[in-house]
């Protein structure tokens, strides 16, 4: 749990506690608990501990006699803060079976916990989020609005803060027969790429460059992708590479990121899903990506993620209605403030709206000024 949350806050570059660490079922109903976080601009793990020790409140938690089980997570990044540490503490009247007295050690109650079974979320390698100057790149940030016009040109409007956007700029062409275009850092090199679902059934990647423009198209799927409804993002908590979630009929599948190889492997996430459009965004602000499923009647159902392949097992909340005219939905970050989240909607009558999600639910929408006639919204 601690490593999962350390990875999450490091990859998002945001310092926050996990709201659900106390109620997470993996905590096995503790009688007491706490969490400490620290970051540094160097990679000195020992000094993270010293910072906690020198903070009265944090040191009290480290020394709290009620806590008898702990877990630590450390993540490294190439941002201003290069090391992120999270420690979770829990207290139990009866220690959970398999609790060990040292890392990899044993106890009278048994050996260490067995490793979790492998899933499609497991990363092939560890990818740390890099930091690049994207001022010359085609897409400058996760807050930019990207559209496709009637001529098949790809247009970017860079975010200028507080729900405002700069002048429209053509960044590529030839996307007239695309079903959907997704902007994502597919290879985690710091620059935004174009993952495109084509009407002829292909799935391709145009790698983006920090210095501007995109590379030649690479085919990730030869055929069969046209009927699917897709969403792209960091669904898996332990894997910093983005993944693809696909709805085929009423079955929801997770496709792992295999780089530039053929994307043929997948795992069933859920069944009985009804949606004409999907979008992946952290709806409830818990650090995990969720799915917004827009139904044909305009109702929007929420499938909350927990960082693992399957969504949370719970009743599906209808978070809003009246979205039957929505033709495009794009998750955005940093539009209203640093680390803010929200979605942009392309609606009837050439209207584009922004709905903020930073509070963990949909706020009142605001229209984004601009000429949107004949343009589709990229995701």
């Amino acid at each position: 749990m601690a490593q999962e949350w350390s990875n999450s806050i490091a990859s998002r570059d945001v310092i926050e506690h996990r709201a659900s660490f106390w109620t997470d079922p993996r905590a096995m109903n503790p009688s007491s608990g706490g969490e400490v976080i620290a970051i540094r601009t160097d990679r000195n793990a020992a000094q993270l501990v010293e910072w906690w020790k020198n903070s009265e409140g944090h040191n009290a938690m480290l020394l709290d006699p009620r806590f008898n089980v702990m877990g630590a997570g450390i993540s490294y990044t190439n941002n201003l803060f290069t090391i992120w540490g999270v420690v979770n503490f829990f207290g139990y009247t009866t220690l959970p079976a398999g609790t060990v007295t040292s890392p990899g050690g044993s106890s009278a109650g048994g050996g260490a916990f067995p490793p979790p079974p492998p899933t499609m979320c497991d990363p092939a390698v560890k990818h740390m989020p890099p930091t690049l100057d994207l001022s010359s790149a085609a897409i400058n940030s996760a807050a930019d609005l990207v559209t496709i016009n009637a001529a098949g040109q790809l247009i970017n409007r860079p975010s200028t803060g507080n729900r405002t956007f700069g002048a429209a700029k053509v960044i590529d062409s030839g996307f007239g027969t695309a079903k959907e275009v997704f902007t994502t850092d597919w290879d985690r090199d710091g620059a935004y790429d174009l993952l495109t679902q084509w009407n002829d059934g292909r799935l391709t990647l145009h790698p983006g460059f920090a210095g501007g423009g995109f590379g030649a198209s690479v085919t990730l799927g030869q055929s069969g992708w046209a009927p699917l409804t897709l969403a792209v993002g960091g669904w898996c908590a332990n894997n910093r590479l983005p993944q693809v979630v696909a709805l085929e009929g009423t079955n929801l599948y997770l496709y792992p990121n295999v780089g530039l190889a053929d994307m043929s492997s997948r795992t069933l996430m859920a069944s009985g899903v009804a949606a004409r459009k999907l979008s992946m965004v952290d709806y409830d602000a818990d650090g995990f990506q969720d799915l917004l499923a827009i139904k044909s009647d305009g109702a929007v159902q929420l499938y909350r993620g927990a960082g693992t392949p399957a969504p949370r097992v719970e009743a599906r909340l209808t978070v809003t209605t009246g979205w039957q005219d929505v033709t495009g939905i794009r998750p955005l970050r940093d539009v209203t403030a640093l680390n803010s989240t929200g979605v942009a909607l392309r609606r009837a009558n050439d209207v584009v709206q922004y709905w903020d999600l930073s509070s963990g639910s949909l706020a009142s929408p605001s229209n984004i000024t601009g000429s949107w006639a004949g343009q589709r919204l990229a995701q």
Side-chain angles (χ1 to χ4, degrees):
M1 285 178 59
Q3 185 62 56
E4 179 182 87
W5 191 245
S6 177
N7 288 345
S8 175
I9 61 175
S11 62
R12 294 180 292 118
D13 203 29
V14 56
I15 307 166
E16 63 182 6
H17 288 283
R18 187 209 297 264
S20 62
F21 81 91
W22 182 269
T23 57
D24 191 298
R26 292 170 295 180
M28 296 176 285
N29 300 311
S31 55
S32 58
E35 182 177 79
V36 295
I37 295 173
I39 55 177
R40 287 185 63 82
T41 56
D42 58 34
R43 295 186 171 182
N44 190 327
Q47 290 303 312
L48 284 181
V49 181
E50 290 301 315
W51 187 91
W52 285 321
K53 289 166 64 177
N54 291 322
S55 166
E56 182 177 354
H58 291 83
N59 193 51
M61 194 173 295
L62 267 65
L63 299 178
D64 193 320
R66 295 174 300 166
F67 301 151
N68 48 22
V69 173
M70 58 82 72
I74 292 289
S75 297
Y76 299 99
T77 72
N78 292 325
N79 294 341
L80 171 63
F81 301 109
T82 61
I83 184 172
W84 301 65
V86 173
V87 179
N88 287 118
F89 301 94
F90 294 112
Y92 302 88
T93 303
T94 302
L95 288 175
T99 303
V100 297
T101 55
S102 63
S106 63
S107 71
F113 288 112
T119 73
M120 286 288 188
C121 276
D122 295 342
V125 294
K126 296 290 186 181
H127 286 263
M128 295 300 174
T131 303
L132 297 179
D133 179 0
L134 297 181
S135 58
S136 299
I139 301 171
N140 307 129
S141 75
D144 291 6
L145 268 179
V146 181
T147 59
I148 308 102
N149 65 14
Q153 294 175 312
L154 209 63
I155 299 171
N156 187 42
R157 293 170 175 83
S159 172
T160 52
N162 197 25
R163 310 187 193 206
T164 61
F165 296 85
K169 177 183 178 182
V170 176
I171 58 174
D172 212 333
S173 60
F175 291 86
T177 59
K179 180 181 178 181
E180 295 282 359
V181 177
F182 301 87
T183 64
T184 180
D185 187 0
W186 186 252
D187 52 5
R188 294 296 289 173
D189 68 348
Y192 291 93
D193 312 310
L194 304 174
L195 187 71
T196 307
Q197 178 190 21
W198 299 90
N199 285 320
D200 63 7
R202 291 176 298 128
L203 186 72
T204 66
L205 181 76
H206 289 78
F209 303 127
F214 300 94
S217 170
V218 178
T219 300
L220 304 184
Q222 294 284 349
S223 61
W225 287 87
L228 306 182
T229 301
L230 305 183
V232 179
W235 182 258
C236 298
N238 66 335
N239 192 334
R240 290 187 177 133
L241 291 174
Q243 302 90 40
V244 175
V245 170
L247 181 62
E248 183 177 32
T250 60
N251 288 332
L252 198 64
Y253 294 95
L254 177 67
Y255 286 82
N257 187 324
V258 290
L260 302 182
D262 181 70
M263 292 185 63
S264 56
S265 60
R266 67 182 187 179
T267 188
L268 181 67
M269 301 169 59
S271 56
V273 180
R276 63 178 183 85
K277 279 196 173 294
L278 294 174
S279 183
M280 193 185 303
V281 65
D282 182 7
Y283 180 90
D284 55 4
D286 68 348
F288 298 114
Q289 293 292 293
D290 309 305
L291 286 174
L292 294 178
I294 305 177
K295 304 176 71 173
S296 57
D297 63 359
V300 182
Q301 281 192 319
L302 175 64
Y303 288 78
R304 294 199 306 142
T308 55
R312 296 180 188 271
V313 179
E314 60 187 5
R316 303 303 173 199
L317 180 68
T318 297
V319 295
T320 192
T321 57
W323 283 19
Q324 57 267 26
D325 66 329
V326 170
T327 60
I329 177 170
R330 171 172 168 78
L332 295 173
R333 283 191 60 195
D334 304 331
V335 170
T336 58
L338 182 64
N339 298 314
S340 66
T341 58
V343 291
L345 302 184
R346 175 69 163 91
R347 311 201 68 157
N349 301 320
D350 296 326
V351 170
V352 174
Q353 296 176 326
Y354 178 75
W355 296 64
D356 193 68
L357 279 169
S358 299
S359 64
S361 62
L362 287 166
S364 298
S366 59
N367 289 354
I368 300 175
T369 59
S371 176
W372 307 104
Q375 297 185 41
R376 296 183 289 138
L377 198 61
Q379 289 203 46

